[in-house]
mmCIF file of all heavy atoms in Angstrom:
data_model
loop_
_atom_site.group_PDB
_atom_site.id
_atom_site.type_symbol
_atom_site.label_atom_id
_atom_site.label_comp_id
_atom_site.label_asym_id
_atom_site.label_seq_id
_atom_site.Cartn_x
_atom_site.Cartn_y
_atom_site.Cartn_z
ATOM 1 N N SER N 314 39.812 39.625 -18.995
ATOM 2 C CA SER N 314 39.332 39.572 -17.619
ATOM 3 C C SER N 314 39.784 38.289 -16.940
ATOM 4 O O SER N 314 40.057 38.276 -15.749
ATOM 5 C CB SER N 314 37.815 39.758 -17.550
ATOM 6 O OG SER N 314 37.159 38.562 -17.817
ATOM 7 N N LEU N 315 39.904 37.197 -17.686
ATOM 8 C CA LEU N 315 40.403 35.971 -17.067
ATOM 9 C C LEU N 315 41.867 36.112 -16.694
ATOM 10 O O LEU N 315 42.296 35.696 -15.626
ATOM 11 C CB LEU N 315 40.213 34.768 -17.992
ATOM 12 C CG LEU N 315 39.019 33.891 -17.633
ATOM 13 C CD1 LEU N 315 37.734 34.681 -17.623
ATOM 14 C CD2 LEU N 315 38.917 32.704 -18.561
ATOM 15 N N PHE N 316 42.640 36.711 -17.612
ATOM 16 C CA PHE N 316 44.064 36.891 -17.356
ATOM 17 C C PHE N 316 44.286 37.731 -16.093
ATOM 18 O O PHE N 316 44.947 37.299 -15.149
ATOM 19 C CB PHE N 316 44.715 37.564 -18.574
ATOM 20 C CG PHE N 316 46.186 37.784 -18.443
ATOM 21 C CD1 PHE N 316 47.065 36.719 -18.547
ATOM 22 C CD2 PHE N 316 46.691 39.053 -18.197
ATOM 23 C CE1 PHE N 316 48.438 36.915 -18.419
ATOM 24 C CE2 PHE N 316 48.051 39.253 -18.070
ATOM 25 C CZ PHE N 316 48.928 38.192 -18.184
ATOM 26 N N PHE N 317 43.679 38.913 -16.058
ATOM 27 C CA PHE N 317 43.911 39.812 -14.923
ATOM 28 C C PHE N 317 43.256 39.291 -13.641
ATOM 29 O O PHE N 317 43.887 39.249 -12.584
ATOM 30 C CB PHE N 317 43.386 41.214 -15.241
ATOM 31 C CG PHE N 317 44.190 41.933 -16.277
ATOM 32 C CD1 PHE N 317 43.587 42.543 -17.355
ATOM 33 C CD2 PHE N 317 45.575 41.991 -16.175
ATOM 34 C CE1 PHE N 317 44.339 43.211 -18.316
ATOM 35 C CE2 PHE N 317 46.342 42.645 -17.129
ATOM 36 C CZ PHE N 317 45.713 43.257 -18.212
ATOM 37 N N SER N 318 41.989 38.887 -13.744
ATOM 38 C CA SER N 318 41.283 38.501 -12.517
ATOM 39 C C SER N 318 41.894 37.266 -11.875
ATOM 40 O O SER N 318 41.934 37.147 -10.654
ATOM 41 C CB SER N 318 39.804 38.239 -12.813
ATOM 42 O OG SER N 318 39.249 39.290 -13.544
ATOM 43 N N SER N 319 42.398 36.337 -12.701
ATOM 44 C CA SER N 319 42.979 35.128 -12.110
ATOM 45 C C SER N 319 44.265 35.466 -11.376
ATOM 46 O O SER N 319 44.532 34.947 -10.294
ATOM 47 C CB SER N 319 43.231 34.075 -13.186
ATOM 48 O OG SER N 319 44.187 34.533 -14.111
ATOM 49 N N MET N 320 45.082 36.377 -11.955
ATOM 50 C CA MET N 320 46.310 36.786 -11.278
ATOM 51 C C MET N 320 45.993 37.378 -9.909
ATOM 52 O O MET N 320 46.617 37.044 -8.904
ATOM 53 C CB MET N 320 47.034 37.851 -12.114
ATOM 54 C CG MET N 320 47.910 37.276 -13.178
ATOM 55 S SD MET N 320 48.728 38.478 -14.255
ATOM 56 C CE MET N 320 48.580 40.031 -13.478
ATOM 57 N N VAL N 321 45.012 38.275 -9.894
ATOM 58 C CA VAL N 321 44.670 38.953 -8.649
ATOM 59 C C VAL N 321 44.135 37.946 -7.626
ATOM 60 O O VAL N 321 44.578 37.910 -6.476
ATOM 61 C CB VAL N 321 43.633 40.074 -8.907
ATOM 62 C CG1 VAL N 321 43.257 40.751 -7.605
ATOM 63 C CG2 VAL N 321 44.157 41.074 -9.910
ATOM 64 N N GLY N 322 43.194 37.114 -8.078
ATOM 65 C CA GLY N 322 42.603 36.146 -7.158
ATOM 66 C C GLY N 322 43.638 35.178 -6.616
ATOM 67 O O GLY N 322 43.651 34.868 -5.415
ATOM 68 N N TYR N 323 44.536 34.742 -7.482
ATOM 69 C CA TYR N 323 45.595 33.821 -7.075
ATOM 70 C C TYR N 323 46.519 34.465 -6.038
ATOM 71 O O TYR N 323 46.838 33.849 -5.019
ATOM 72 C CB TYR N 323 46.381 33.390 -8.318
ATOM 73 C CG TYR N 323 47.722 32.774 -8.039
ATOM 74 C CD1 TYR N 323 47.823 31.445 -7.614
ATOM 75 C CD2 TYR N 323 48.893 33.505 -8.213
ATOM 76 C CE1 TYR N 323 49.057 30.879 -7.370
ATOM 77 C CE2 TYR N 323 50.130 32.946 -7.969
ATOM 78 C CZ TYR N 323 50.217 31.632 -7.545
ATOM 79 O OH TYR N 323 51.436 31.079 -7.302
ATOM 80 N N ALA N 324 46.910 35.715 -6.294
ATOM 81 C CA ALA N 324 47.800 36.393 -5.351
ATOM 82 C C ALA N 324 47.127 36.561 -3.998
ATOM 83 O O ALA N 324 47.755 36.358 -2.948
ATOM 84 C CB ALA N 324 48.224 37.753 -5.907
ATOM 85 N N LEU N 325 45.837 36.912 -4.010
ATOM 86 C CA LEU N 325 45.123 37.098 -2.737
ATOM 87 C C LEU N 325 45.046 35.796 -1.951
ATOM 88 O O LEU N 325 45.017 35.803 -0.720
ATOM 89 C CB LEU N 325 43.702 37.619 -2.996
ATOM 90 C CG LEU N 325 43.596 39.076 -3.440
ATOM 91 C CD1 LEU N 325 42.159 39.419 -3.782
ATOM 92 C CD2 LEU N 325 44.114 40.003 -2.351
ATOM 93 N N ALA N 326 45.031 34.676 -2.657
ATOM 94 C CA ALA N 326 44.904 33.396 -1.967
ATOM 95 C C ALA N 326 46.255 32.818 -1.574
ATOM 96 O O ALA N 326 46.370 32.127 -0.567
ATOM 97 C CB ALA N 326 44.163 32.402 -2.861
ATOM 98 N N SER N 327 47.313 33.086 -2.341
ATOM 99 C CA SER N 327 48.553 32.316 -2.193
ATOM 100 C C SER N 327 49.686 33.052 -1.502
ATOM 101 O O SER N 327 50.678 32.445 -1.152
ATOM 102 C CB SER N 327 49.045 31.852 -3.565
ATOM 103 O OG SER N 327 47.998 31.269 -4.282
ATOM 104 N N TYR N 328 49.591 34.368 -1.349
ATOM 105 C CA TYR N 328 50.691 35.097 -0.728
ATOM 106 C C TYR N 328 50.202 35.822 0.515
ATOM 107 O O TYR N 328 49.065 36.276 0.569
ATOM 108 C CB TYR N 328 51.284 36.130 -1.694
ATOM 109 C CG TYR N 328 52.000 35.534 -2.870
ATOM 110 C CD1 TYR N 328 51.352 35.384 -4.081
ATOM 111 C CD2 TYR N 328 53.331 35.124 -2.771
ATOM 112 C CE1 TYR N 328 52.001 34.834 -5.170
ATOM 113 C CE2 TYR N 328 53.988 34.571 -3.856
ATOM 114 C CZ TYR N 328 53.325 34.432 -5.044
ATOM 115 O OH TYR N 328 53.974 33.884 -6.115
ATOM 116 N N ASP N 329 51.106 35.915 1.491
ATOM 117 C CA ASP N 329 50.851 36.792 2.631
ATOM 118 C C ASP N 329 51.565 38.085 2.354
ATOM 119 O O ASP N 329 52.786 38.114 2.227
ATOM 120 C CB ASP N 329 51.439 36.166 3.913
ATOM 121 C CG ASP N 329 50.376 35.365 4.636
ATOM 122 O OD1 ASP N 329 49.226 35.808 4.631
ATOM 123 O OD2 ASP N 329 50.722 34.304 5.194
ATOM 124 N N PHE N 330 50.830 39.173 2.195
ATOM 125 C CA PHE N 330 51.511 40.448 1.976
ATOM 126 C C PHE N 330 50.707 41.552 2.621
ATOM 127 O O PHE N 330 49.512 41.415 2.886
ATOM 128 C CB PHE N 330 51.737 40.713 0.489
ATOM 129 C CG PHE N 330 50.464 40.717 -0.337
ATOM 130 C CD1 PHE N 330 49.832 41.904 -0.668
ATOM 131 C CD2 PHE N 330 49.919 39.522 -0.791
ATOM 132 C CE1 PHE N 330 48.677 41.909 -1.433
ATOM 133 C CE2 PHE N 330 48.758 39.511 -1.553
ATOM 134 C CZ PHE N 330 48.133 40.709 -1.871
ATOM 135 N N LYS N 331 51.401 42.660 2.885
ATOM 136 C CA LYS N 331 50.749 43.790 3.547
ATOM 137 C C LYS N 331 49.633 44.318 2.675
ATOM 138 O O LYS N 331 49.803 44.492 1.477
ATOM 139 C CB LYS N 331 51.773 44.905 3.778
ATOM 140 C CG LYS N 331 52.269 44.972 5.189
ATOM 141 C CD LYS N 331 53.023 46.265 5.403
ATOM 142 C CE LYS N 331 53.590 46.306 6.811
ATOM 143 N NZ LYS N 331 54.567 47.393 6.964
ATOM 144 N N GLY N 332 48.471 44.563 3.249
ATOM 145 C CA GLY N 332 47.370 45.141 2.503
ATOM 146 C C GLY N 332 46.494 44.106 1.834
ATOM 147 O O GLY N 332 45.536 44.449 1.164
ATOM 148 N N ARG N 333 46.831 42.832 2.026
ATOM 149 C CA ARG N 333 46.050 41.805 1.357
ATOM 150 C C ARG N 333 44.585 41.836 1.790
ATOM 151 O O ARG N 333 43.679 41.845 0.956
ATOM 152 C CB ARG N 333 46.634 40.416 1.656
ATOM 153 C CG ARG N 333 45.870 39.321 0.962
ATOM 154 C CD ARG N 333 46.441 37.986 1.279
ATOM 155 N NE ARG N 333 46.112 37.599 2.645
ATOM 156 C CZ ARG N 333 46.212 36.350 3.097
ATOM 157 N NH1 ARG N 333 46.678 35.418 2.308
ATOM 158 N NH2 ARG N 333 45.882 36.055 4.339
ATOM 159 N N ASN N 334 44.362 41.927 3.093
ATOM 160 C CA ASN N 334 42.981 41.931 3.580
ATOM 161 C C ASN N 334 42.227 43.171 3.122
ATOM 162 O O ASN N 334 41.040 43.104 2.813
ATOM 163 C CB ASN N 334 42.956 41.850 5.109
ATOM 164 C CG ASN N 334 43.467 40.503 5.592
ATOM 165 O OD1 ASN N 334 43.403 39.517 4.845
ATOM 166 N ND2 ASN N 334 43.994 40.470 6.800
ATOM 167 N N LEU N 335 42.960 44.283 3.052
ATOM 168 C CA LEU N 335 42.332 45.520 2.610
ATOM 169 C C LEU N 335 41.884 45.390 1.155
ATOM 170 O O LEU N 335 40.768 45.758 0.793
ATOM 171 C CB LEU N 335 43.329 46.671 2.762
ATOM 172 C CG LEU N 335 42.734 48.064 2.546
ATOM 173 C CD1 LEU N 335 41.788 48.407 3.674
ATOM 174 C CD2 LEU N 335 43.830 49.105 2.433
ATOM 175 N N ILE N 336 42.767 44.829 0.323
ATOM 176 C CA ILE N 336 42.420 44.678 -1.094
ATOM 177 C C ILE N 336 41.223 43.747 -1.250
ATOM 178 O O ILE N 336 40.299 44.027 -2.017
ATOM 179 C CB ILE N 336 43.637 44.153 -1.889
ATOM 180 C CG1 ILE N 336 44.717 45.233 -1.932
ATOM 181 C CG2 ILE N 336 43.233 43.771 -3.307
ATOM 182 C CD1 ILE N 336 46.010 44.795 -2.550
ATOM 183 N N PHE N 337 41.217 42.670 -0.472
ATOM 184 C CA PHE N 337 40.091 41.746 -0.560
ATOM 185 C C PHE N 337 38.799 42.437 -0.123
ATOM 186 O O PHE N 337 37.736 42.234 -0.727
ATOM 187 C CB PHE N 337 40.362 40.500 0.292
ATOM 188 C CG PHE N 337 39.313 39.436 0.107
ATOM 189 C CD1 PHE N 337 39.020 38.947 -1.148
ATOM 190 C CD2 PHE N 337 38.619 38.930 1.198
ATOM 191 C CE1 PHE N 337 38.052 37.967 -1.327
ATOM 192 C CE2 PHE N 337 37.646 37.956 1.028
ATOM 193 C CZ PHE N 337 37.362 37.476 -0.234
ATOM 194 N N LEU N 338 38.903 43.285 0.890
ATOM 195 C CA LEU N 338 37.727 44.032 1.331
ATOM 196 C C LEU N 338 37.196 44.916 0.199
ATOM 197 O O LEU N 338 35.995 44.991 -0.045
ATOM 198 C CB LEU N 338 38.094 44.888 2.549
ATOM 199 C CG LEU N 338 36.952 45.673 3.184
ATOM 200 C CD1 LEU N 338 35.995 44.721 3.887
ATOM 201 C CD2 LEU N 338 37.473 46.709 4.165
ATOM 202 N N PHE N 339 38.122 45.564 -0.534
ATOM 203 C CA PHE N 339 37.707 46.405 -1.665
ATOM 204 C C PHE N 339 37.006 45.578 -2.736
ATOM 205 O O PHE N 339 36.036 46.023 -3.333
ATOM 206 C CB PHE N 339 38.909 47.141 -2.267
ATOM 207 C CG PHE N 339 39.348 48.326 -1.454
ATOM 208 C CD1 PHE N 339 40.689 48.589 -1.233
ATOM 209 C CD2 PHE N 339 38.406 49.186 -0.908
ATOM 210 C CE1 PHE N 339 41.087 49.668 -0.483
ATOM 211 C CE2 PHE N 339 38.789 50.277 -0.157
ATOM 212 C CZ PHE N 339 40.143 50.526 0.063
ATOM 213 N N VAL N 340 37.524 44.354 -2.975
ATOM 214 C CA VAL N 340 36.878 43.475 -3.964
ATOM 215 C C VAL N 340 35.425 43.260 -3.569
ATOM 216 O O VAL N 340 34.509 43.413 -4.383
ATOM 217 C CB VAL N 340 37.622 42.120 -4.059
ATOM 218 C CG1 VAL N 340 36.837 41.152 -4.932
ATOM 219 C CG2 VAL N 340 39.021 42.314 -4.609
ATOM 220 N N LEU N 341 35.203 42.965 -2.289
ATOM 221 C CA LEU N 341 33.838 42.709 -1.822
ATOM 222 C C LEU N 341 32.977 43.959 -1.933
ATOM 223 O O LEU N 341 31.813 43.892 -2.314
ATOM 224 C CB LEU N 341 33.858 42.210 -0.370
ATOM 225 C CG LEU N 341 34.558 40.870 -0.166
ATOM 226 C CD1 LEU N 341 34.544 40.480 1.296
ATOM 227 C CD2 LEU N 341 33.901 39.786 -1.003
ATOM 228 N N ILE N 342 33.577 45.130 -1.602
ATOM 229 C CA ILE N 342 32.805 46.371 -1.667
ATOM 230 C C ILE N 342 32.367 46.652 -3.112
ATOM 231 O O ILE N 342 31.228 47.020 -3.370
ATOM 232 C CB ILE N 342 33.615 47.559 -1.093
ATOM 233 C CG1 ILE N 342 33.741 47.388 0.426
ATOM 234 C CG2 ILE N 342 32.947 48.887 -1.428
ATOM 235 C CD1 ILE N 342 34.609 48.418 1.096
ATOM 236 N N ILE N 343 33.295 46.450 -4.072
ATOM 237 C CA ILE N 343 32.939 46.738 -5.470
ATOM 238 C C ILE N 343 31.804 45.830 -5.931
ATOM 239 O O ILE N 343 30.939 46.240 -6.702
ATOM 240 C CB ILE N 343 34.142 46.569 -6.409
ATOM 241 C CG1 ILE N 343 35.271 47.458 -5.962
ATOM 242 C CG2 ILE N 343 33.760 46.944 -7.833
ATOM 243 C CD1 ILE N 343 36.489 47.338 -6.824
ATOM 244 N N ILE N 344 31.815 44.572 -5.465
ATOM 245 C CA ILE N 344 30.732 43.669 -5.857
ATOM 246 C C ILE N 344 29.391 44.253 -5.394
ATOM 247 O O ILE N 344 28.377 44.131 -6.068
ATOM 248 C CB ILE N 344 30.955 42.252 -5.276
ATOM 249 C CG1 ILE N 344 32.194 41.627 -5.914
ATOM 250 C CG2 ILE N 344 29.746 41.354 -5.526
ATOM 251 C CD1 ILE N 344 32.545 40.254 -5.385
ATOM 252 N N MET N 345 29.409 44.942 -4.243
ATOM 253 C CA MET N 345 28.178 45.487 -3.676
ATOM 254 C C MET N 345 27.711 46.783 -4.351
ATOM 255 O O MET N 345 26.528 47.077 -4.364
ATOM 256 C CB MET N 345 28.371 45.801 -2.181
ATOM 257 C CG MET N 345 28.771 44.611 -1.366
ATOM 258 S SD MET N 345 27.477 43.384 -1.359
ATOM 259 C CE MET N 345 27.570 42.860 0.325
ATOM 260 N N ILE N 346 28.638 47.595 -4.876
ATOM 261 C CA ILE N 346 28.248 48.910 -5.416
ATOM 262 C C ILE N 346 27.450 48.723 -6.704
ATOM 263 O O ILE N 346 27.909 48.075 -7.626
ATOM 264 C CB ILE N 346 29.490 49.782 -5.727
ATOM 265 C CG1 ILE N 346 30.250 50.099 -4.444
ATOM 266 C CG2 ILE N 346 29.071 51.081 -6.411
ATOM 267 C CD1 ILE N 346 31.476 50.948 -4.684
ATOM 268 N N PRO N 347 26.232 49.283 -6.781
ATOM 269 C CA PRO N 347 25.469 49.166 -8.022
ATOM 270 C C PRO N 347 26.153 49.953 -9.143
ATOM 271 O O PRO N 347 26.477 51.127 -8.967
ATOM 272 C CB PRO N 347 24.115 49.801 -7.677
ATOM 273 C CG PRO N 347 24.132 50.085 -6.230
ATOM 274 C CD PRO N 347 25.542 50.066 -5.765
ATOM 275 N N PHE N 348 26.357 49.281 -10.261
ATOM 276 C CA PHE N 348 27.056 49.895 -11.395
ATOM 277 C C PHE N 348 26.364 51.180 -11.841
ATOM 278 O O PHE N 348 27.010 52.141 -12.248
ATOM 279 C CB PHE N 348 27.104 48.892 -12.551
ATOM 280 C CG PHE N 348 27.740 49.422 -13.794
ATOM 281 C CD1 PHE N 348 29.109 49.601 -13.849
ATOM 282 C CD2 PHE N 348 26.976 49.756 -14.901
ATOM 283 C CE1 PHE N 348 29.703 50.091 -15.003
ATOM 284 C CE2 PHE N 348 27.563 50.256 -16.052
ATOM 285 C CZ PHE N 348 28.936 50.424 -16.109
ATOM 286 N N GLU N 349 25.026 51.213 -11.722
ATOM 287 C CA GLU N 349 24.253 52.347 -12.223
ATOM 288 C C GLU N 349 24.654 53.660 -11.552
ATOM 289 O O GLU N 349 24.514 54.730 -12.148
ATOM 290 C CB GLU N 349 22.753 52.103 -12.000
ATOM 291 C CG GLU N 349 22.153 51.033 -12.893
ATOM 292 C CD GLU N 349 22.494 49.621 -12.446
ATOM 293 O OE1 GLU N 349 23.146 49.463 -11.396
ATOM 294 O OE2 GLU N 349 22.115 48.667 -13.147
ATOM 295 N N VAL N 350 25.140 53.552 -10.298
ATOM 296 C CA VAL N 350 25.508 54.776 -9.588
ATOM 297 C C VAL N 350 26.763 55.394 -10.205
ATOM 298 O O VAL N 350 26.943 56.605 -10.220
ATOM 299 C CB VAL N 350 25.716 54.460 -8.089
ATOM 300 C CG1 VAL N 350 26.219 55.662 -7.350
ATOM 301 C CG2 VAL N 350 24.416 53.967 -7.485
ATOM 302 N N LEU N 351 27.639 54.517 -10.758
ATOM 303 C CA LEU N 351 28.878 55.002 -11.363
ATOM 304 C C LEU N 351 28.689 55.363 -12.829
ATOM 305 O O LEU N 351 29.623 55.808 -13.494
ATOM 306 C CB LEU N 351 29.973 53.931 -11.255
ATOM 307 C CG LEU N 351 30.229 53.391 -9.854
ATOM 308 C CD1 LEU N 351 31.352 52.377 -9.891
ATOM 309 C CD2 LEU N 351 30.585 54.527 -8.917
ATOM 310 N N LEU N 352 27.472 55.146 -13.325
ATOM 311 C CA LEU N 352 27.212 55.275 -14.755
ATOM 312 C C LEU N 352 27.652 56.625 -15.330
ATOM 313 O O LEU N 352 28.438 56.680 -16.283
ATOM 314 C CB LEU N 352 25.711 55.087 -14.985
ATOM 315 C CG LEU N 352 25.287 54.689 -16.370
ATOM 316 C CD1 LEU N 352 25.853 53.334 -16.720
ATOM 317 C CD2 LEU N 352 23.767 54.643 -16.442
ATOM 318 N N LEU N 353 27.137 57.718 -14.736
ATOM 319 C CA LEU N 353 27.415 59.030 -15.311
ATOM 320 C C LEU N 353 28.885 59.441 -15.150
ATOM 321 O O LEU N 353 29.480 59.900 -16.117
ATOM 322 C CB LEU N 353 26.464 60.079 -14.716
ATOM 323 C CG LEU N 353 24.994 59.872 -15.077
ATOM 324 C CD1 LEU N 353 24.111 60.875 -14.382
ATOM 325 C CD2 LEU N 353 24.791 59.930 -16.579
#
Side-chain angles (χ1 to χ4, degrees):
Chain N
S314 82
L315 259 57
F316 181 74
F317 290 131
S318 310
S319 64
M320 275 177 14
V321 179
Y323 163 78
L325 287 175
S327 311
Y328 292 97
D329 266 323
F330 58 98
K331 258 192 183 168
R333 181 181 73 164
N334 293 335
L335 189 69
I336 292 174
F337 187 55
L338 183 70
F339 283 138
V340 172
L341 296 179
I342 290 175
I343 303 179
I344 294 178
M345 302 296 220
I346 296 180
F348 177 73
E349 289 77 4
V350 175
L351 306 182
L352 201 63
L353 294 176

